[in-house]
Coordinates of all heavy atoms in Angstrom, one line a residue:
M1 N 101.1 -83.6 21.0 CA 101.0 -82.7 22.1 C 100.7 -83.4 23.4 O 99.7 -83.1 24.2 CB 99.9 -81.6 21.9 CG 98.6 -82.1 21.5 SD 97.4 -80.7 21.7 CE 97.0 -80.7 23.4
S2 N 101.6 -84.3 23.8 CA 101.4 -85.0 25.0 C 102.2 -84.3 26.1 O 103.3 -83.8 25.8 CB 101.7 -86.5 24.9 OG 103.0 -86.6 24.3
T3 N 101.8 -84.5 27.3 CA 102.6 -83.9 28.4 C 102.9 -85.0 29.4 O 102.1 -85.7 29.8 CB 101.6 -82.9 29.2 OG1 101.1 -82.0 28.2 CG2 102.4 -82.0 30.2
R4 N 104.2 -85.0 29.8 CA 104.7 -85.9 30.8 C 104.4 -85.5 32.2 O 104.6 -84.2 32.5 CB 106.2 -86.2 30.6 CG 106.4 -87.0 29.3 CD 107.8 -87.4 29.2 NE 108.8 -86.3 29.5 CZ 109.8 -86.4 30.3 NH1 110.1 -87.6 30.9 NH2 110.6 -85.4 30.5
Y5 N 104.0 -86.3 33.1 CA 103.8 -86.0 34.4 C 104.7 -86.9 35.3 O 104.9 -88.1 35.0 CB 102.3 -86.3 34.9 CG 101.2 -85.5 34.3 CD1 99.9 -85.9 34.2 CD2 101.5 -84.2 33.8 CE1 98.9 -85.2 33.7 CE2 100.5 -83.4 33.3 CZ 99.2 -83.9 33.2 OH 98.2 -83.2 32.7
C6 N 105.1 -86.3 36.4 CA 105.7 -87.2 37.5 C 105.2 -86.6 38.8 O 105.1 -85.4 39.0 CB 107.2 -87.1 37.4 SG 108.0 -88.2 38.6
C7 N 104.8 -87.5 39.7 CA 104.2 -87.1 41.0 C 105.4 -86.5 41.9 O 106.4 -87.2 42.1 CB 103.6 -88.3 41.7 SG 103.1 -87.8 43.4
P8 N 105.3 -85.2 42.3 CA 106.3 -84.6 43.1 C 106.3 -85.2 44.6 O 107.2 -84.8 45.3 CB 105.9 -83.1 43.2 CG 104.5 -83.1 42.9 CD 104.2 -84.4 42.1
N9 N 105.3 -86.0 45.0 CA 105.3 -86.5 46.3 C 106.0 -87.9 46.3 O 106.9 -88.2 47.1 CB 103.9 -86.5 46.8 CG 103.8 -87.0 48.3 OD1 104.5 -86.5 49.1 ND2 103.0 -88.0 48.5
C10 N 105.4 -88.9 45.7 CA 105.9 -90.2 45.7 C 107.1 -90.4 44.7 O 107.9 -91.4 44.8 CB 104.8 -91.3 45.5 SG 104.1 -91.3 43.9
K11 N 107.3 -89.5 43.8 CA 108.4 -89.4 42.9 C 108.7 -90.5 41.9 O 109.7 -90.5 41.2 CB 109.7 -89.2 43.7 CG 109.6 -87.9 44.6 CD 111.0 -87.7 45.4 CE 111.0 -86.4 46.1 NZ 110.0 -86.2 47.1
T12 N 107.8 -91.5 42.0 CA 108.0 -92.6 41.1 C 106.9 -92.8 40.1 O 107.2 -93.3 39.0 CB 108.1 -93.9 41.9 OG1 107.0 -94.1 42.8 CG2 109.3 -94.1 42.7
N13 N 105.8 -92.3 40.4 CA 104.6 -92.5 39.5 C 104.7 -91.6 38.3 O 104.7 -90.3 38.5 CB 103.3 -92.3 40.3 CG 102.1 -92.4 39.3 OD1 102.1 -93.1 38.4 ND2 101.0 -91.6 39.7
R14 N 104.8 -92.1 37.1 CA 104.7 -91.3 35.9 C 103.7 -91.8 34.9 O 103.6 -91.4 33.8 CB 106.1 -91.5 35.2 CG 107.3 -90.8 35.9 CD 108.5 -91.0 35.1 NE 109.7 -90.4 35.7 CZ 110.1 -89.1 35.4 NH1 109.5 -88.4 34.4 NH2 111.0 -88.5 36.1
S15 N 102.8 -92.6 35.5 CA 101.8 -93.2 34.5 C 100.3 -93.2 35.0 O 99.5 -93.2 34.1 CB 102.2 -94.7 34.1 OG 102.4 -95.5 35.3
R16 N 100.1 -93.3 36.3 CA 98.7 -93.4 36.7 C 98.3 -92.1 37.4 O 98.8 -91.8 38.5 CB 98.5 -94.6 37.6 CG 98.8 -95.9 36.9 CD 98.4 -97.1 37.7 NE 98.6 -98.3 36.9 CZ 97.6 -98.8 36.2 NH1 96.4 -98.2 36.2 NH2 97.8 -99.9 35.4
F17 N 97.3 -91.5 36.8 CA 96.8 -90.2 37.3 C 95.3 -90.0 37.1 O 94.7 -90.7 36.2 CB 97.5 -89.0 36.6 CG 99.0 -89.1 36.7 CD1 99.8 -89.6 35.7 CD2 99.6 -88.5 37.8 CE1 101.2 -89.6 35.8 CE2 101.0 -88.5 38.0 CZ 101.7 -89.1 36.9
N18 N 94.7 -89.2 38.0 CA 93.3 -88.7 37.8 C 93.4 -87.3 37.3 O 93.9 -86.5 38.1 CB 92.4 -88.9 39.0 CG 92.4 -90.4 39.4 OD1 92.0 -91.3 38.5 ND2 92.6 -90.7 40.7
I19 N 92.8 -87.0 36.2 CA 92.8 -85.6 35.7 C 91.4 -85.0 36.1 O 90.4 -85.5 35.7 CB 93.0 -85.6 34.2 CG1 94.5 -86.0 33.8 CG2 92.8 -84.1 33.7 CD1 94.7 -86.1 32.3
I20 N 91.6 -83.9 36.8 CA 90.4 -83.3 37.4 C 90.1 -82.0 36.6 O 90.9 -81.0 36.7 CB 90.5 -83.0 38.9 CG1 90.9 -84.3 39.6 CG2 89.3 -82.3 39.4 CD1 91.6 -84.0 40.9
E21 N 89.2 -82.0 35.7 CA 88.9 -80.8 35.0 C 88.0 -79.8 35.9 O 87.0 -80.3 36.4 CB 88.0 -81.2 33.7 CG 88.6 -82.2 32.8 CD 89.6 -81.6 31.9 OE1 89.9 -80.4 31.9 OE2 90.2 -82.5 31.1
Q22 N 88.5 -78.6 35.9 CA 87.8 -77.6 36.8 C 87.0 -76.7 35.9 O 87.5 -75.9 35.1 CB 88.8 -76.8 37.6 CG 89.7 -77.8 38.4 CD 90.3 -77.1 39.6 OE1 89.9 -77.4 40.7 NE2 91.2 -76.2 39.4
T23 N 85.7 -76.7 36.1 CA 84.9 -75.7 35.4 C 84.2 -74.9 36.4 O 83.3 -75.3 37.2 CB 83.8 -76.4 34.5 OG1 84.5 -77.5 33.8 CG2 83.2 -75.5 33.6
A24 N 84.4 -73.5 36.3 CA 83.9 -72.6 37.2 C 82.5 -72.0 36.6 O 82.6 -71.6 35.5 CB 84.8 -71.5 37.6
H25 N 81.5 -72.0 37.4 CA 80.3 -71.3 37.0 C 80.0 -70.2 37.9 O 79.8 -70.4 39.1 CB 79.1 -72.3 37.0 CG 79.3 -73.6 36.2 ND1 79.1 -73.6 34.8 CD2 79.7 -74.8 36.6 CE1 79.5 -74.8 34.4 NE2 79.7 -75.5 35.4
A26 N 79.9 -69.0 37.3 CA 79.6 -67.9 38.1 C 78.1 -67.8 38.4 O 77.3 -67.9 37.5 CB 79.9 -66.6 37.4
V27 N 77.7 -67.8 39.7 CA 76.3 -67.8 40.0 C 76.0 -66.7 41.1 O 77.0 -66.2 41.8 CB 75.9 -69.1 40.6 CG1 75.9 -70.2 39.6 CG2 76.7 -69.5 41.9
K28 N 74.8 -66.3 41.2 CA 74.3 -65.4 42.3 C 73.3 -66.2 43.1 O 72.3 -66.6 42.5 CB 73.8 -64.2 41.7 CG 73.7 -63.0 42.7 CD 73.3 -61.7 42.0 CE 73.0 -60.7 43.1 NZ 72.6 -59.5 42.4
L29 N 73.5 -66.4 44.4 CA 72.6 -67.1 45.2 C 71.7 -66.2 46.0 O 72.1 -65.1 46.4 CB 73.4 -68.0 46.2 CG 74.4 -69.0 45.6 CD1 74.9 -69.9 46.8 CD2 73.7 -69.9 44.6
D30 N 70.5 -66.7 46.4 CA 69.7 -66.0 47.4 C 70.4 -66.3 48.7 O 70.6 -67.4 49.1 CB 68.3 -66.6 47.3 CG 67.4 -66.0 48.3 OD1 67.7 -65.9 49.5 OD2 66.3 -65.5 47.9
P31 N 70.7 -65.2 49.4 CA 71.5 -65.3 50.7 C 70.7 -66.1 51.8 O 71.3 -66.7 52.6 CB 71.8 -63.9 51.1 CG 71.0 -63.0 50.3 CD 70.5 -63.8 49.1
Q32 N 69.4 -66.0 51.7 CA 68.5 -66.8 52.7 C 68.3 -68.3 52.4 O 68.5 -69.1 53.3 CB 67.1 -66.1 52.8 CG 67.0 -65.2 54.0 CD 67.8 -63.9 53.8 OE1 67.7 -63.3 52.8 NE2 68.5 -63.5 54.8
T33 N 68.0 -68.5 51.1 CA 67.7 -69.9 50.8 C 68.8 -70.7 50.1 O 68.8 -71.9 50.1 CB 66.5 -70.0 49.8 OG1 66.9 -69.4 48.6 CG2 65.3 -69.2 50.4
G34 N 69.8 -70.0 49.6 CA 70.8 -70.7 48.8 C 70.5 -71.0 47.4 O 71.2 -71.5 46.7
E35 N 69.3 -70.6 47.1 CA 68.7 -70.9 45.7 C 69.5 -70.1 44.7 O 69.9 -68.9 45.0 CB 67.3 -70.5 45.6 CG 66.6 -71.0 44.3 CD 65.1 -70.4 44.2 OE1 64.6 -70.0 45.3 OE2 64.6 -70.3 43.2
V36 N 69.8 -70.6 43.5 CA 70.5 -69.9 42.4 C 69.6 -68.9 41.8 O 68.5 -69.3 41.2 CB 71.0 -70.9 41.3 CG1 71.8 -70.1 40.2 CG2 72.0 -71.9 42.0
M37 N 69.9 -67.6 42.0 CA 69.0 -66.6 41.4 C 69.5 -66.3 39.9 O 68.7 -66.0 39.1 CB 69.1 -65.3 42.2 CG 68.9 -65.5 43.7 SD 67.3 -66.1 44.1 CE 66.4 -64.5 43.7
E38 N 70.8 -66.3 39.7 CA 71.3 -66.0 38.4 C 72.5 -66.9 38.2 O 73.2 -67.2 39.0 CB 71.8 -64.5 38.3 CG 70.7 -63.5 38.0 CD 71.3 -62.2 37.8 OE1 71.7 -61.8 36.7 OE2 71.4 -61.4 38.8
R39 N 72.6 -67.3 36.8 CA 73.7 -68.1 36.5 C 74.3 -67.5 35.2 O 73.6 -67.3 34.3 CB 73.3 -69.5 36.2 CG 74.3 -70.5 36.0 CD 73.8 -71.9 35.7 NE 74.8 -72.7 35.1 CZ 75.3 -73.7 35.8 NH1 74.9 -74.1 36.9 NH2 76.3 -74.5 35.2
F40 N 75.6 -67.0 35.3 CA 76.2 -66.3 34.2 C 76.9 -67.2 33.3 O 77.7 -68.0 33.8 CB 77.1 -65.2 34.8 CG 76.5 -64.3 35.8 CD1 76.6 -64.6 37.2 CD2 75.8 -63.2 35.4 CE1 76.0 -63.8 38.1 CE2 75.2 -62.3 36.3 CZ 75.3 -62.6 37.6
E41 N 76.6 -67.1 32.0 CA 77.4 -67.9 31.0 C 78.7 -67.2 30.8 O 79.0 -66.1 31.2 CB 76.5 -67.9 29.7 CG 75.2 -68.6 29.9 CD 75.3 -70.0 30.6 OE1 76.2 -70.7 30.4 OE2 74.4 -70.3 31.4
N42 N 79.5 -68.0 30.0 CA 81.0 -67.6 29.8 C 81.2 -66.1 29.4 O 82.0 -65.5 29.9 CB 81.6 -68.5 28.7 CG 81.8 -69.9 29.3 OD1 81.9 -70.1 30.5 ND2 82.0 -70.9 28.5
S43 N 80.4 -65.7 28.5 CA 80.6 -64.3 28.0 C 80.0 -63.3 28.7 O 80.2 -62.1 28.6 CB 80.1 -64.3 26.5 OG 78.8 -64.7 26.4
E44 N 79.1 -63.7 29.6 CA 78.3 -62.7 30.4 C 79.2 -62.1 31.6 O 79.9 -62.8 32.2 CB 77.0 -63.4 31.0 CG 75.8 -63.3 30.2 CD 74.7 -64.0 31.0 OE1 74.6 -65.2 31.0 OE2 73.9 -63.2 31.5
D45 N 79.0 -60.8 31.7 CA 79.7 -60.1 32.8 C 78.8 -60.1 34.0 O 77.8 -59.5 34.0 CB 80.0 -58.7 32.3 CG 80.8 -57.9 33.4 OD1 81.2 -58.5 34.3 OD2 80.9 -56.6 33.1
P46 N 79.3 -60.7 35.1 CA 78.5 -60.8 36.3 C 78.6 -59.5 37.1 O 78.0 -59.4 38.2 CB 79.1 -62.0 37.1 CG 80.5 -62.1 36.6 CD 80.5 -61.6 35.2
G47 N 79.3 -58.5 36.7 CA 79.3 -57.2 37.4 C 80.6 -56.9 38.1 O 81.4 -57.9 38.3
P48 N 80.8 -55.7 38.5 CA 82.1 -55.3 39.1 C 82.4 -55.9 40.4 O 83.5 -55.9 40.9 CB 82.0 -53.8 39.2 CG 80.5 -53.5 39.2 CD 79.9 -54.6 38.3
L49 N 81.4 -56.3 41.2 CA 81.6 -57.0 42.5 C 81.9 -58.4 42.5 O 82.2 -59.0 43.5 CB 80.3 -56.7 43.3 CG 79.9 -55.3 43.6 CD1 78.6 -55.2 44.4 CD2 81.0 -54.5 44.3
H50 N 81.9 -59.0 41.3 CA 82.1 -60.4 41.1 C 83.4 -60.7 40.6 O 83.8 -60.4 39.5 CB 81.0 -60.9 40.2 CG 80.8 -62.5 40.3 ND1 79.7 -63.0 40.7 CD2 81.7 -63.4 40.0 CE1 79.8 -64.4 40.7 NE2 81.0 -64.6 40.3
T51 N 84.2 -61.3 41.4 CA 85.6 -61.8 40.9 C 85.5 -63.0 40.2 O 85.0 -64.0 40.7 CB 86.6 -61.9 42.1 OG1 86.6 -60.7 42.8 CG2 88.0 -62.3 41.7
L52 N 86.0 -63.0 38.9 CA 85.9 -64.3 38.1 C 87.0 -65.3 38.5 O 88.1 -64.8 39.0 CB 86.0 -64.0 36.6 CG 84.8 -63.2 36.1 CD1 85.1 -62.8 34.7 CD2 83.5 -64.0 36.2
Y53 N 86.7 -66.5 38.3 CA 87.7 -67.6 38.7 C 88.9 -67.4 37.7 O 88.9 -67.4 36.5 CB 87.1 -68.9 38.5 CG 88.0 -70.1 38.6 CD1 88.5 -70.4 40.0 CD2 88.5 -70.9 37.7 CE1 89.4 -71.4 40.2 CE2 89.3 -71.9 37.9 CZ 89.8 -72.2 39.1 OH 90.7 -73.2 39.4
Q54 N 90.1 -67.4 38.4 CA 91.4 -67.2 37.6 C 92.3 -68.4 37.8 O 93.4 -68.4 37.3 CB 92.1 -66.0 38.1 CG 91.4 -64.7 38.2 CD 91.3 -64.1 36.8 OE1 92.0 -64.4 35.9 NE2 90.3 -63.2 36.6
G55 N 91.7 -69.4 38.4 CA 92.6 -70.6 38.8 C 92.9 -71.5 37.5 O 92.4 -71.2 36.5
P56 N 93.6 -72.5 37.8 CA 94.0 -73.4 36.6 C 92.8 -74.2 36.2 O 91.8 -74.5 36.9 CB 95.0 -74.4 37.3 CG 94.7 -74.3 38.7 CD 94.2 -72.9 39.1
E57 N 92.9 -74.6 34.9 CA 91.8 -75.4 34.3 C 91.7 -76.8 34.8 O 90.6 -77.4 34.8 CB 92.0 -75.4 32.7 CG 91.5 -74.2 32.0 CD 91.7 -74.2 30.5 OE1 91.8 -75.4 30.0 OE2 91.9 -73.2 30.0
R58 N 92.8 -77.3 35.2 CA 92.8 -78.7 35.7 C 93.7 -78.9 36.8 O 94.7 -78.2 37.0 CB 93.1 -79.7 34.5 CG 94.4 -79.3 33.8 CD 94.9 -80.4 32.9 NE 93.9 -80.7 31.8 CZ 94.1 -81.5 30.8 NH1 95.2 -82.1 30.7 NH2 93.2 -81.7 29.9
R59 N 93.4 -79.9 37.6 CA 94.3 -80.4 38.7 C 94.5 -81.8 38.4 O 93.8 -82.5 37.7 CB 93.7 -80.1 40.1 CG 93.3 -78.6 40.3 CD 93.0 -78.4 41.7 NE 94.2 -78.4 42.5 CZ 94.2 -78.2 43.9 NH1 93.1 -78.2 44.5 NH2 95.3 -78.2 44.6
I60 N 95.6 -82.3 39.0 CA 96.0 -83.7 38.8 C 96.0 -84.4 40.2 O 96.5 -83.9 41.1 CB 97.4 -83.8 38.1 CG1 97.4 -82.9 36.8 CG2 97.8 -85.2 37.8 CD1 96.4 -83.3 35.8
Q61 N 95.5 -85.6 40.2 CA 95.7 -86.4 41.4 C 96.6 -87.6 41.0 O 96.3 -88.3 40.0 CB 94.3 -87.0 41.9 CG 94.6 -87.9 43.1 CD 93.3 -88.3 43.7 OE1 92.3 -88.6 43.1 NE2 93.3 -88.3 45.1
C62 N 97.6 -87.8 41.8 CA 98.5 -89.0 41.6 C 97.6 -90.2 42.1 O 97.1 -90.2 43.2 CB 99.7 -88.9 42.5 SG 100.6 -90.4 42.6
A63 N 97.4 -91.2 41.2 CA 96.6 -92.4 41.5 C 97.3 -93.4 42.4 O 96.7 -94.4 42.7 CB 96.1 -93.0 40.2
V64 N 98.6 -93.1 42.7 CA 99.4 -94.0 43.5 C 99.3 -93.5 45.0 O 98.9 -94.2 45.9 CB 100.8 -94.1 43.1 CG1 101.6 -95.0 44.1 CG2 100.9 -94.8 41.7
C65 N 99.7 -92.2 45.2 CA 99.7 -91.8 46.6 C 98.6 -90.8 47.0 O 98.3 -90.5 48.2 CB 101.0 -91.1 46.9 SG 101.2 -89.4 46.1
G66 N 97.8 -90.4 46.0 CA 96.6 -89.6 46.2 C 96.8 -88.1 46.3 O 95.8 -87.4 46.4
L67 N 98.0 -87.6 46.1 CA 98.3 -86.2 46.1 C 97.5 -85.4 45.0 O 97.5 -85.9 43.9 CB 99.8 -86.0 45.9 CG 100.2 -84.5 45.8 CD1 100.3 -83.9 47.2 CD2 101.5 -84.3 45.0
I68 N 96.8 -84.3 45.3 CA 96.2 -83.5 44.4 C 96.9 -82.2 44.3 O 97.1 -81.5 45.3 CB 94.7 -83.3 44.8 CG1 94.0 -84.6 44.8 CG2 94.1 -82.4 43.7 CD1 92.6 -84.4 45.2
E69 N 97.4 -81.8 43.1 CA 98.1 -80.6 42.9 C 97.8 -80.0 41.6 O 97.2 -80.7 40.7 CB 99.6 -80.8 43.0 CG 100.3 -80.6 44.3 CD 100.1 -79.1 44.8 OE1 99.8 -78.2 43.9 OE2 100.4 -78.8 45.9
N70 N 98.2 -78.7 41.3 CA 98.1 -78.1 40.0 C 98.9 -78.9 39.0 O 99.9 -79.4 39.3 CB 98.5 -76.7 40.0 CG 97.6 -75.8 40.9 OD1 96.5 -76.2 41.1 ND2 98.1 -74.7 41.3
E71 N 98.4 -78.9 37.8 CA 99.1 -79.7 36.7 C 100.5 -79.3 36.6 O 101.4 -80.2 36.3 CB 98.3 -79.4 35.4 CG 98.9 -80.3 34.3 CD 98.2 -79.9 32.9 OE1 97.7 -78.7 32.8 OE2 98.0 -80.8 32.1
L72 N 100.8 -78.0 36.8 CA 102.2 -77.5 36.6 C 103.2 -78.2 37.5 O 104.3 -78.4 37.1 CB 102.2 -75.9 36.8 CG 103.3 -75.1 36.3 CD1 103.5 -75.3 34.8 CD2 103.2 -73.7 36.6
M73 N 102.7 -78.5 38.7 CA 103.6 -79.2 39.6 C 104.1 -80.6 39.1 O 105.2 -81.0 39.2 CB 103.0 -79.4 41.0 CG 102.6 -78.2 41.7 SD 104.1 -77.3 42.4 CE 104.5 -78.5 43.7
F74 N 103.2 -81.3 38.5 CA 103.5 -82.6 37.9 C 104.3 -82.5 36.7 O 105.2 -83.3 36.4 CB 102.2 -83.3 37.6 CG 101.5 -83.8 38.8 CD1 100.6 -83.0 39.6 CD2 101.6 -85.1 39.2 CE1 100.0 -83.5 40.7 CE2 101.0 -85.7 40.4 CZ 100.1 -84.8 41.1
I75 N 104.0 -81.4 35.8 CA 104.8 -81.2 34.6 C 106.3 -80.8 34.9 O 107.2 -81.4 34.4 CB 104.2 -80.1 33.8 CG1 102.8 -80.6 33.3 CG2 105.1 -79.8 32.5 CD1 102.0 -79.4 32.6
K76 N 106.5 -79.9 36.0 CA 107.8 -79.5 36.3 C 108.6 -80.7 36.8 O 109.8 -80.8 36.5 CB 107.7 -78.5 37.4 CG 107.5 -77.0 37.0 CD 107.6 -76.1 38.2 CE 107.3 -74.6 37.8 NZ 107.1 -73.8 39.0
F77 N 108.0 -81.5 37.6 CA 108.7 -82.6 38.2 C 109.1 -83.7 37.2 O 110.1 -84.4 37.3 CB 107.9 -83.2 39.3 CG 108.8 -83.8 40.4 CD1 109.3 -83.0 41.3 CD2 109.0 -85.1 40.5 CE1 110.1 -83.5 42.4 CE2 109.8 -85.7 41.4 CZ 110.4 -84.9 42.4
A78 N 108.4 -83.7 36.1 CA 108.6 -84.8 35.1 C 109.9 -84.4 34.3 O 110.5 -85.3 33.7 CB 107.5 -84.8 34.1
D79 N 110.3 -83.2 34.4 CA 111.5 -82.7 33.7 C 112.8 -83.0 34.5 O 113.9 -82.7 34.0 CB 111.4 -81.3 33.2 CG 110.5 -81.1 32.1 OD1 110.3 -82.0 31.4 OD2 109.9 -80.0 32.0
K80 N 112.6 -83.2 35.7 CA 113.8 -83.4 36.6 C 114.5 -84.8 36.4 O 113.8 -85.7 36.0 CB 113.5 -83.2 38.0 CG 113.2 -81.7 38.3 CD 112.9 -81.5 39.8 CE 112.6 -80.0 40.0 NZ 112.1 -79.8 41.3
Ligands
LIG1 ZN1 102.3 -89.8 44.1

């Protein structure tokens, strides 16, 4: 289950990348101090006013030109 990447910017790099794992933590801060008042675990519901992170799990940086994009961009380009 390997995935091929190709950088859509420099178009030549297919081997050197930085994989950035994105982990969102839902928190509630004290508006005055910025202190974390509550930290919600994965299964916990932070309530109807709190929009949960829907973004991609990982982003990729091309280690040649430095472009950071969603993984899908690199996967799509690898098939061209
Ligand atoms: Zn690149």
Side-chain angles (χ1 to χ4, degrees):
M1 53 164 280
S2 53
T3 309
R4 294 188 308 133
Y5 293 157
C6 182
C7 175
N9 185 52
C10 65
K11 299 181 172 64
T12 51
N13 177 32
R14 291 177 177 266
S15 56
R16 294 188 176 270
F17 302 97
N18 297 312
I19 295 175
I20 306 157
E21 306 279 0
Q22 307 203 107
T23 312
H25 303 282
V27 294
K28 193 171 174 185
L29 304 184
D30 182 303
Q32 258 72 48
T33 66
E35 188 188 340
V36 177
M37 308 296 288
E38 277 185 88
R39 189 181 166 111
F40 304 95
E41 298 308 324
N42 287 341
S43 53
E44 268 183 283
D45 181 7
L49 297 177
H50 195 117
T51 303
L52 292 173
Y53 178 69
Q54 304 285 340
E57 278 178 27
R58 52 170 60 172
R59 301 190 78 184
I60 308 299
Q61 180 175 38
C62 171
V64 174
C65 74
L67 176 81
I68 300 176
E69 262 297 349
N70 290 342
E71 184 185 33
L72 200 57
M73 296 288 289
F74 285 84
I75 295 173
K76 274 186 181 169
F77 210 79
D79 286 332
K80 286 182 184 173

